[in-house]
Each structure stands twice: as structure tokens, then as C-alpha cells.
Amino acid sequence: MISHVQALNPHSCIQYFLSKYFLNIQDQMIEVDSVPAKPDNINEKQLCILCLDALHHHLFLFHDSTSDENSSVAALKELGIFPKLAELMLRYRNDSEIDFAVLKLLTVLSVYPSLLKDFYENGLIGELARLIKSRDIRLASSSAVCLANLSGEYHYKPGLYLLHPLYRTKSNHNCDILLVHGLRGGVFVTWRQRDKKCAEPVGIIEVTVSDVECDPCEKDNLSKTYFDPELQQVLEDLKELDDEALLTNLEVVLHDIPISAKREPSSTKQYTSNKKRLALIQEDEDKCNYTHCWPKDWLPQDCDSLRILGFNYWSKLSEWLEGCPLKNADIESRAEELGSVLIDAEVGKKSIVWLAHSMGGLIVKKLLVDAAQKSEPRFGNLCQKTKAVLFYSTPHKGSALATMPRAAAAILWPSQDVKQLQENSPVLLKMHNEFIKFADLFNWETISFAETQPTLVTAFKVPVHFVESFSADLGRGVFYELPLDHLSICKPATRQSILYTTVLDVLLRVSSCEVQLKHTDSHILRLIYTFWSLVKSKFGLLKTNLEDNQGNGNQHWIEKTLLHAFTDDVIT
């Protein structure tokens, strides 16, 4: 299959892949006994994953979602790609590596509505329904994209991932949250909860999903002390009320308190939690339940009616890494690609909030500046519906990483992506000034976060300050300097981090979402239920007595019964 699509659309990456892995295998079969065998540490599973990645790379580059007549897709269909993928998923059942490699290919194939029958006939719809329930965010999100594309409800191009809601809902969302990562990042890497890996050297190799396993907190599995459920409920209510009383004179301070702030309105300057008991409960929960994507897992709990999308693009920090020549796009090309992808996904019909880390912020700025200068209404909607942009260590005025000393540059060999970030680059400064102008015109709320600690890179643990505070400061809107490094600046430790509470506060202002007041108001609801049960019981008693005395016509007795039924109990 790989050889066939390579003949249709030749590409140097595929040719390199074939020469690297398959020619070696052919050479081994003709070697004589006197020649030592070549080392080959690739097993069948690894080779399958490499082949799937090669096919995905090819289709990702040459796919055309506007036409059903794609030569590569048609050729793969004739060669039996669908039954082969189904066989792989059956042979390696519940293998997340194989499942993800297959799903990446299916996300590209799902953009072609004409292939729905092939998905169905080969049992892949059932596999997607199985994997959408996976706890692995990569599998669940990729499956959701495939099913949404095949249903015709939305059109998510390759590179765009649906994070929430994964399932079709009865109510429509009223706000889109868009996640754009920075250099060497990814949807499933950049937006994970902070962990100890953030403080370790990142090196110049590809970043993968964190392998930190957070041991779940020990649950209280002891049997309830009392068998009477009503008595047990009363005791729980008393404990909750007691906890609230104990917290009355205490303050629950948020995490990641800024060491300095600029242009912060006095009305919003608050670094303590109002809902104290809820804050402590959430903090305990978040420490026990690690998430690889905090916007996906936390925001829907605190704010409803959201759609959360993540955009993935390829980038590299160093030229030492292998890379596809067709993927070395500049900021302008990536912004154009992102704009096209979002419009196809019907972004621009609801309110928009952007979360952008590092170079991702520059891509968002370029996208909005270009959209504001275009006459097409669909691009204008992106500007009109944008309500807020949150920048996490975005180098608005460039980064010192692009102008490092010659010795350091010789070791790192900065990539073209890094070279775009020259300090005080005329291109960056022009884009910055244009963005400020349109931000004022469209009244976009802007919030910026800056790192103040260096990040350890390479095996030598070289401390590098990726984005200085003067560059991370947009010069407009609220600006926070936090005691974090470049990797941790977009990774809140818990929902009590200012990195998260700021996002939630923005959503409460720009959307009509309803905050879920869990735990704090539960005792009030229980009191209402108790009162209602009392009323129902009294009415039941009155009905019985009235039926027994309905023939007597004693109006005075009825009024007296009503008075005694409610006065004492209700007042008490």
C-alpha cells in the first residue's frame, strides 16, 4: 500500500521510510553465511505502527476534503485498507499504541463522506464506539472526531481534535474554547496537569505524553456506621455544616500567586477562594485524579455549554531532528491553515475564547489580524465572536532563544521555527501593533502570563529562559508574572491555581454558562427536600381526616386542623 501511494504522489519522506526499513529486510534474505546478519530490533508490532504512521503522513499531506476523488484514498480502498485496519485492531485488542496509530489514519479517512459504508461494513463504527469510552484522551478524542465527521454533523479536518463534548448532546454549546500549543508541544502534551516531569530536562527529542501515574487516593470503603439512611444523611449534613463553620475565619489561598501584576482591575484582585469548602474538595480531587488535558476535564465541571477544540501542528526546536520538508511552515502559513480548519468546524457562530502557549499565541494573533483584514464574512465572524485571548508565555517581541551565543547555537542548531522568533523582529513587531489595534476595535479581552524561572534543556541541564517578561507582556490587558518555567506556565497543579481560575472567570463573563455549585449548596437542597417531605406528609394526613369527616360539614374543624398541622412543625 505504501509503495502504491508513493507511486501516485511521490514524496521524499515515504521514499526514505521504504529505503530505511524494507530494503534492509530484503538484503537480509540474500546475505551469505559468511556475512554477519544486520541488527534488526524491530518486531512485527513496531513495524506495523511505522507503516501506519507513514500512510498517515502521506494522506495528511495530500488529502483534499473538498473532493471525494482522491487518488491515494481510492487506491488504498481498492487494496483493502479498511479490512486490514479492522484486523489490526482485533489482533492487537486493547493495545493503545496500535489503536492510536489506526485512529490517526481513520481521522483522515473520515473526512470523506463516501467512505461511511466502508467504515460500517468492516466493523469500524463499533470500534470507534468502543474507543470513545477510553480513558486515554488520545483515543477518545480521535474517535469522537471520526464519528462526528461520519455523522455529517461537523467537519473536523486532520489536525483538529474534539475534546468536549465527545458525545452528541441535546443542548447546543454557546462558547468555543480553542487550544493552540507552542514549539514541540501538542494537544495531549501541552495542556496536561502539572507534574514532576515539568521540572526535568526536556532535551531536544520529541515530547511524548507524560508517563506519570498518579496513584488514586485511598477511598473510604468502610461500611456506614448506621443502617438508617435518614440518620446517616442527617449526620452528613451536620458534618458539612460543621466544616463550613470551621472555615469561616480561614482563607483558602489559590496556587501560583503572581509575584507581580500589571493593569489588574482592583475589583478582580483576589487571590483567595470564595467557596472555601468547595476549593478544598476540588484540590483533594485534583491531586488524586491526574488529567492529561485540564481544559477537557475541569472546565465542563465548572461551566456548561462548552465545546473545546485543540489544534495540532508539527514543529521542531532543533535541526538535529528529522523533519518533513513540506511541514516546515512559517507562522503565517500555520495561521492560514488554522483559520481554514476552524471555519470548516463552524467556529465563529458562537463566542470564542483562545488559550495559546508560546508560539501558539503568535499563530492566534496572525490568524485574527488576517481575518480582520479580509472581506469574507466567515473570517469576520472569527473576529466578531472572539471574546478573550489568554497568552501563556507568548514571545510577542521575540525570544532570546533565537539569538543565543554561537557556541550554544552550535549545540542546539536552532530550527527555522526558532529563527522566526528573533528579538524585536520587524515582522513580529508589525504583527503586534496590528493585533493591538484590532483588539481595541473588537474589544477583545487579553490576559498574559509570563515565566520567571529558567527551563532546563538538553542532557546537560542548561538553564534557558525562553521568554523574558518584557516580551511576554502584551502591553494591553492584565499581565501576571508567575514563579514558573516555560513548560509549567500553562499547566495548573489544581483547579485552585490562578492559571485555571482566571480562565474560568473569563468564561463566566463572556458566556452564559451556569456554574455548577456542587457540595456548597447541597445542605440547602437537602433542607428543601426535607421541608417538601414534611408538607407532603401533612397533606396526606389532612386528606385522610377530611375524607373521614367530609359528611359532617364542620368548617371550624377543618380550619383548626390546618392550623395545627403547619404552625408548630413549619415554624420549628
Side-chain angles (χ1 to χ4, degrees), residues 244-483:
E244 294 286 353
L246 290 174
L247 293 171
T248 302
N249 298 323
L250 300 177
E251 287 187 346
V252 178
V253 182
L254 301 179
H255 295 297
D256 305 323
I257 299 300
I259 59 178
S260 67
K262 295 182 181 178
R263 301 178 295 276
E264 185 182 26
S266 58
S267 58
T268 60
K269 190 173 183 180
Q270 183 174 346
Y271 301 131
T272 59
S273 176
N274 291 328
K275 305 177 182 66
K276 302 176 182 180
R277 187 173 186 276
L278 176 60
L280 294 177
I281 292 174
Q282 288 181 342
E283 184 175 347
D284 289 339
E285 291 177 350
D286 297 338
K287 288 180 179 178
C288 300
N289 304 310
Y290 185 85
T291 171
H292 286 99
C293 185
W294 59 264
K296 168 188 177 294
D297 292 331
W298 292 350
L299 288 176
Q301 295 183 31
D302 298 326
C303 187
D304 60 0
S305 301
L306 301 176
R307 180 173 64 158
I308 305 176
L309 300 172
F311 178 64
N312 245 5
Y313 63 92
W314 187 87
S315 63
K316 62 180 180 179
L317 190 63
S318 169
E319 290 294 349
W320 292 110
L321 301 173
E322 296 177 349
C324 175
L326 296 184
K327 282 189 174 183
N328 284 332
D330 54 16
I331 294 174
E332 182 177 0
S333 299
R334 291 194 178 105
E336 183 178 354
E337 176 190 358
L338 175 58
S340 174
V341 167
L342 294 181
I343 288 174
D344 282 351
E346 299 184 8
V347 175
K349 296 184 178 180
K350 308 290 183 180
S351 299
I352 303 174
V353 174
W354 302 82
L355 305 183
H357 176 239
S358 190
M359 195 175 76
L362 300 179
I363 295 175
V364 172
K365 288 170 63 178
K366 183 59 178 175
L367 183 154
L368 293 175
V369 167
D370 290 346
Q373 296 174 337
K374 293 181 179 180
S375 58
E376 298 180 62
R378 57 179 186 169
F379 287 100
N381 290 338
L382 293 177
C383 297
Q384 295 287 350
K385 292 298 182 179
T386 291
K387 303 300 180 183
V389 186
L390 285 83
F391 298 101
Y392 297 88
S393 280
T394 293
H396 300 290
K397 302 176 182 67
S399 171
L401 188 66
T403 55
M404 63 177 59
R406 180 177 300 179
I411 296 175
L412 182 60
W413 195 7
S415 65
Q416 186 61 35
D417 293 319
V418 174
K419 293 178 181 178
Q420 297 179 85
L421 308 179
Q422 294 282 345
E423 282 188 331
N424 296 319
S425 163
V427 176
L428 294 183
L429 294 180
K430 178 184 177 182
M431 180 174 63
H432 177 73
N433 294 331
E434 290 176 340
F435 177 81
I436 296 294
K437 179 182 68 175
F438 289 118
D440 293 336
L441 177 64
F442 290 101
N443 196 28
W444 299 331
E445 180 179 0
T446 55
I447 300 176
S448 304
F449 299 94
E451 66 200 61
T452 58
Q453 294 182 354
T455 306
L456 302 179
V457 298
T458 76
F460 301 102
K461 298 184 180 182
V462 179
V464 176
H465 202 148
F466 282 87
V467 183
E468 298 288 347
S469 295
F470 80 90
S471 183
D473 185 3
L474 182 67
R476 178 187 185 277
V478 182
F479 172 69
Y480 294 118
E481 286 184 293
L482 302 179

Side-chain angles (χ1 to χ4, degrees), residues 148-160:
N149 285 341
L150 293 173
S151 69
E153 187 174 10
Y154 287 103
H155 186 75
Y156 298 117
K157 284 185 177 180
L160 192 65

